Amino acid sequence: MTIAACTTCSTDTNVKVSDSRSTSAVFLNRDREEFRLIKFDGCVVRNSIACDWIVEKTGVGRVAVELKGSDIEHAAGQIEAAFEHMKVNGLTDLK
């Protein structure tokens, strides 16, 4: 799927990404600036390992988010695989 089809934007004061197991990460956004939320695993990448989300704020950067309760080594591998996928597929700018 395309990046655009897997992306939502948020200007909420608490920008939240979550998964089906009710695990979540929250980014504080007091100035209500726009965050781009890219559902990576299961949308951009299917049938392969990848991090759950890429969260991006223009002018600041992006963060790979893997929502885990345990198995941190596997989570690190998923983040690494996501960035490798972006590099190989020319998605380093995500625009």
Side-chain angles (χ1 to χ4, degrees), residues 13-90:
T13 55
N14 292 310
V15 177
K16 182 178 179 179
V17 292
S18 60
D19 67 10
S20 60
R21 297 179 312 255
S22 299
T23 304
S24 63
V26 177
F27 296 83
L28 299 179
N29 186 19
R30 291 187 183 107
D31 296 330
R32 299 186 68 94
E33 296 182 50
E34 185 175 85
F35 279 70
R36 293 177 67 220
L37 312 173
I38 303 158
K39 180 63 176 146
F40 214 70
D41 187 14
C43 193
V44 174
V45 175
R46 294 175 184 249
N47 302 318
S48 185
I49 67 167
C51 64
D52 294 319
W53 294 90
I54 300 290
V55 178
E56 181 179 59
K57 184 176 175 187
T58 302
V60 176
R62 67 181 60 106
V63 175
V65 178
E66 175 55 37
L67 301 167
K68 281 270 190 253
S70 61
D71 199 356
I72 302 305
E73 285 185 35
H74 183 64
Q78 289 175 277
I79 291 169
E80 184 178 348
F83 281 116
E84 184 63 25
H85 176 85
M86 288 188 290
K87 181 180 170 184
V88 166
N89 291 285

